[in-house]
Amino acid sequence: MPDLLELLNTVTRHREHEEESAFDSLASVRKWLNALPAESDYETFQALVEGLERFNAETVEANAERLKVLMAIEEAGLPLQSRVAEHYIRVINQPSLRLGRQTLWRKSSAFWSLLAAAWTNMLKHAYKGPAHLELKPWRVAIATRAMRYSGHAMRWGYHRSDLPSEAAWQRIQKIFRLVERGGHAQTAVTLNARETSCAREFSLVVLLGLTNPVGFKTEEIESIAQMLDSFADLPLPQTSFESDRHTHAIDLSIFEGAFALDGNQPAGERLRYFDLAPLVEHLLSFAPQSNDEDEDCLPRRVAKLISRGILRRSRQRTRRFGRVWVASGVANIMATLLGTQYGKPHKGLERWTLRDESAEGMGFGLEESTVMPHGRLVAVSSNPSEDTWQLLAIRWNQKVGGQLLVGAQRLSRHPKRVEIGFAPEADAAKAATHAVLLPTGDSGQGESNLLMPQTHYRAGARMMLRDGDVIYGVRLGQVHESHERWVRVGLDVLSREQFAAAA
């Protein structure tokens, strides 16, 4: 019996050693790649995706050798994915191959997501890991790869009409800002035998998002991506605004796509600007595919969507024409919520024309001369004498037919004006002030948010929050968005007690 147990232990150790050593060195990963099943491209690709998943699951500190291992996996996987994608597009319109089509999509989507995660993790180690000095010469190349493959993962989500999450936008924006701060956003990197840069890959992600890709067929999405990639002088993000040149912008603080400009500089500290006029002109130069003047070819359709700057909404909107009361800007919102508490509505309210509404927001029609920057906060109510205010943020606007059409995203259905102050052990010298509580569920992330003055924000700080007769002990989370020297932050509730007991 001891001999049998010893034999089993030897086999187990041998298998564990094989699994652990597969990605230990460039030689071991090449041996593993050569041993992948070769019956078909799909079988090989499936095994490679599973291996990439194991690579990401390993809790190993990154170094130059592990970087070479990942590059070897990438080199082997890219041509395989390309051939699998070609097959996927060929069978996309064949109903009899529905299950096979779904399998091909899942494997390709997993490949891009895993590759993006692998390079993003490598980037973290290149800046903060034990071997960060060893990896420093590779930082720009690593970041460019992380950006490229994160964009590819988003693109394959479009095939299934999945819009990128806030986390997806946050990832690519953080990568771009990281490289931009180092002054290497436009540093040339060779990928797949072509020269590119982190800024160029970022632009490709942003531009594809502007075309409303979920409104196109799978083969059209891939054609649009190739069309944009083939444009030699691709517009790159700029930090300085020029009203006579820039047509679009993206806000790196709100984790969503770009929007069209109206000639006025929008408010925001992390805005990057694009001049898309040359690209639009190039796409419009393509001739229609038929003699029907009303039928546009794909490039011309894309050009018009980019020029319009308004994405097709992912949620059905209901027409709701009518007039509502609006408090615009943080100061008016705070005064209005205070007045509501005492039954005296704020006098500075405006009357806006409501056009439509969905579960996510509202659309308004305003005077064409109205200035309404992106990110501006508004509180909306149909009856200001009741405590029925909703808090929204302006996300897009466009002048059409003598009107300014405005779209706003709902942040909270039940905003509350509250009093906040630092816990005595945190900062007794800082005076208490007022903020707006956005209760749990309104953020869509399962946490409460707090709209508070930027002067009082410290990441991770403990504060006391008073809502009526209840006092909460809270801890501040990360900043989700900035508004007029105020910040909207995540919030963890640590304790709760009645005011009388606390006193």
Side-chain angles (χ1 to χ4, degrees), residues 133-267:
L133 294 178
E134 186 181 359
L135 294 171
K136 185 176 180 180
W138 293 89
R139 284 178 180 173
V140 180
I142 294 171
T144 305
R145 283 173 162 85
M147 177 72 72
R148 183 182 184 89
Y149 302 135
S150 295
H152 281 22
M154 291 167 64
R155 189 167 105 201
W156 277 75
Y158 291 140
H159 292 174
R160 289 295 181 90
S161 298
D162 291 334
L163 291 173
S165 64
E166 285 190 2
W169 281 114
Q170 183 180 24
R171 172 190 278 184
I172 68 162
Q173 290 176 12
K174 288 179 70 174
I175 294 170
F176 176 72
R177 287 176 56 208
L178 184 66
V179 179
E180 186 185 51
R181 281 198 300 267
H184 297 292
Q186 297 186 32
T187 300
V189 174
T190 300
L191 286 182
N192 202 19
R194 288 187 57 188
E195 191 174 276
T196 185
S197 67
C198 192
R200 193 175 197 279
E201 295 299 327
F202 179 66
S203 291
L204 288 170
V205 177
V206 172
L207 290 175
L208 184 60
L210 277 172
T211 67
N212 182 33
V214 297
F216 289 98
K217 300 175 181 177
T218 293
E219 57 270 29
E220 291 177 327
I221 294 173
E222 292 302 297
S223 295
I224 293 170
Q226 294 170 14
M227 191 189 310
L228 296 173
D229 194 23
S230 65
F231 191 67
D233 298 322
L234 197 73
L236 302 180
Q238 306 293 322
T239 56
S240 300
F241 175 67
E242 297 179 29
S243 59
D244 60 341
R245 191 167 69 88
H246 290 129
T247 60
H248 293 71
I250 186 169
D251 191 337
L252 301 183
S253 66
I254 60 175
F255 311 137
E256 60 181 32
F259 54 87
L261 298 173
D262 58 4
N264 298 317
Q265 183 172 8

Side-chain angles (χ1 to χ4, degrees), residues 110-149:
F111 175 73
W112 293 127
S113 296
L114 291 168
L115 201 56
W119 283 110
T120 301
N121 185 57
M122 187 68 66
L123 184 62
K124 293 177 183 177
H125 285 274
Y127 277 87
K128 295 184 178 180
H132 67 278
L133 294 178
E134 186 181 359
L135 294 171
K136 185 176 180 180
W138 293 89
R139 284 178 180 173
V140 180
I142 294 171
T144 305
R145 283 173 162 85
M147 177 72 72
R148 183 182 184 89
Y149 302 135

Side-chain angles (χ1 to χ4, degrees), residues 171-462:
R171 172 190 278 184
I172 68 162
Q173 290 176 12
K174 288 179 70 174
I175 294 170
F176 176 72
R177 287 176 56 208
L178 184 66
V179 179
E180 186 185 51
R181 281 198 300 267
H184 297 292
Q186 297 186 32
T187 300
V189 174
T190 300
L191 286 182
N192 202 19
R194 288 187 57 188
E195 191 174 276
T196 185
S197 67
C198 192
R200 193 175 197 279
E201 295 299 327
F202 179 66
S203 291
L204 288 170
V205 177
V206 172
L207 290 175
L208 184 60
L210 277 172
T211 67
N212 182 33
V214 297
F216 289 98
K217 300 175 181 177
T218 293
E219 57 270 29
E220 291 177 327
I221 294 173
E222 292 302 297
S223 295
I224 293 170
Q226 294 170 14
M227 191 189 310
L228 296 173
D229 194 23
S230 65
F231 191 67
D233 298 322
L234 197 73
L236 302 180
Q238 306 293 322
T239 56
S240 300
F241 175 67
E242 297 179 29
S243 59
D244 60 341
R245 191 167 69 88
H246 290 129
T247 60
H248 293 71
I250 186 169
D251 191 337
L252 301 183
S253 66
I254 60 175
F255 311 137
E256 60 181 32
F259 54 87
L261 298 173
D262 58 4
N264 298 317
Q265 183 172 8
E269 298 179 358
R270 294 180 179 175
L271 291 168
R272 299 297 180 268
Y273 306 97
F274 295 86
D275 175 15
L276 303 189
L279 174 62
V280 170
E281 183 179 357
H282 169 71
L283 295 174
L284 288 174
S285 68
F286 285 79
Q289 295 175 327
S290 68
N291 295 326
D292 187 350
E293 296 182 358
D294 294 330
E295 182 180 337
D296 279 329
C297 59
L298 183 61
R300 293 173 65 88
R301 289 162 58 196
V302 169
K304 292 180 178 180
L305 283 166
I306 291 176
S307 299
R308 194 180 307 159
I310 301 176
L311 304 184
R312 188 178 304 167
R313 298 178 179 88
S314 59
R315 300 289 186 271
Q316 184 66 37
R317 292 208 163 209
T318 303
R319 298 287 183 183
R320 295 194 188 281
F321 291 103
R323 303 276 281 176
V324 292
W325 293 96
V326 175
S328 177
V330 174
N332 281 328
I333 291 171
M334 293 298 293
T336 296
L337 294 179
L338 175 63
T340 301
Q341 290 179 356
Y342 295 99
K344 297 179 180 180
H346 181 51
K347 295 182 179 180
L349 297 178
E350 305 173 24
R351 290 284 270 172
W352 285 15
T353 301
L354 181 65
R355 291 174 53 86
D356 51 35
E357 185 176 9
S358 76
E360 295 183 339
M362 299 180 180
F364 305 94
L366 308 177
E367 294 291 334
E368 188 177 21
S369 59
T370 305
V371 177
M372 194 55 53
H374 291 261
R376 170 71 61 83
L377 291 175
V378 294
V380 180
S381 176
S382 59
N383 188 350
S385 63
E386 299 178 2
D387 189 12
T388 56
W389 294 96
Q390 299 184 50
L391 187 69
L392 301 96
I394 303 300
R395 295 307 187 204
W396 63 263
N397 53 47
Q398 184 183 34
K399 294 181 179 179
V400 177
Q403 270 191 318
L404 179 69
L405 302 184
V406 174
Q409 178 190 7
R410 182 180 290 105
L411 301 180
S412 175
R413 293 182 182 273
H414 309 286
K416 294 183 178 182
R417 188 177 188 270
V418 296
E419 183 178 314
I420 59 171
F422 284 100
E425 66 274 11
D427 192 345
K430 184 76 73 173
T433 187
H434 290 91
V436 178
L437 176 65
L438 315 182
T440 303
D442 285 340
S443 69
Q445 299 174 349
E447 67 172 3
S448 295
N449 278 193
L450 189 69
L451 183 67
M452 62 184 296
Q454 195 168 18
T455 54
H456 280 63
Y457 174 73
R458 289 212 313 268
R462 293 181 177 237

